[in-house]
Amino acid sequence: CLNMFQAKPITFQLNNACIAFAASYLQGITFNHYTVLLQFDPQNPVLLNWQAFMNEFSSKFGVFNTVAKAEDNLFNLQMHAKECFTTFIICFKKEAYETGWNYNALWYALHYTLPQRIKDVL
């Protein structure tokens, strides 16, 4: 959503446009929650303010502990045989930023996840 909001700032300058766009991607119980709010409480701040919408849906349906999830993702990340190093390192950085770890911890995690052929060069 955020990419679309930046790509079309005029279209998405109002909160309700951002919320409607994001809601169009909701499915299952998250969509049900949204439609209940829309039908029975249309003046709810969740439907009027983008940040309130994000907080509501993230807290109820998002990953509870994003740092723990990022740490888990980091140690389960593996560079595949035909994968480009650049692709791998971008995935690594995405998770690394979320962890808040210092340089030494990230270096260990990177070293742990790299294949031996790359470690040999380091």
Side-chain angles (χ1 to χ4, degrees):
C1 288
L2 297 179
N3 287 339
M4 184 62 80
F5 299 163
Q6 286 184 343
K8 297 185 174 197
I10 294 172
T11 303
F12 295 106
Q13 68 190 87
L14 300 176
N15 281 304
N16 64 341
C18 296
I19 293 167
F21 179 77
S24 71
Y25 286 93
L26 298 177
Q27 298 178 347
I29 192 70
T30 56
F31 180 73
N32 292 346
H33 180 62
Y34 173 75
T35 56
V36 166
L37 288 173
L38 202 56
Q39 288 177 327
F40 299 109
D41 193 8
Q43 295 305 310
N44 188 309
V46 169
L47 300 175
L48 305 173
N49 179 280
W50 171 248
Q51 194 57 51
F53 178 86
M54 287 294 297
N55 291 342
E56 172 84 4
F57 283 84
S58 294
S59 67
K60 287 193 169 144
F61 307 106
V63 175
F64 178 71
N65 187 339
T66 56
V67 172
K69 182 67 175 164
E71 290 171 354
D72 188 49
N73 289 345
L74 206 55
F75 276 105
N76 287 316
L77 190 65
Q78 292 182 351
M79 185 174 167
H80 302 289
K82 296 187 181 207
E83 185 176 15
C84 175
F85 180 75
T86 304
T87 303
F88 172 79
I89 203 68
I90 289 170
C91 293
F92 182 88
K93 284 182 176 182
K94 176 185 173 285
E95 303 300 341
Y97 288 132
E98 189 71 38
T99 66
W101 290 354
N102 66 21
Y103 177 82
N104 291 335
L106 290 172
W107 178 252
Y108 172 79
L110 179 62
H111 194 266
Y112 177 83
T113 58
L114 288 174
Q116 192 58 47
R117 70 180 193 279
I118 303 291
K119 291 178 191 176
D120 292 342
V121 176
L122 298 176

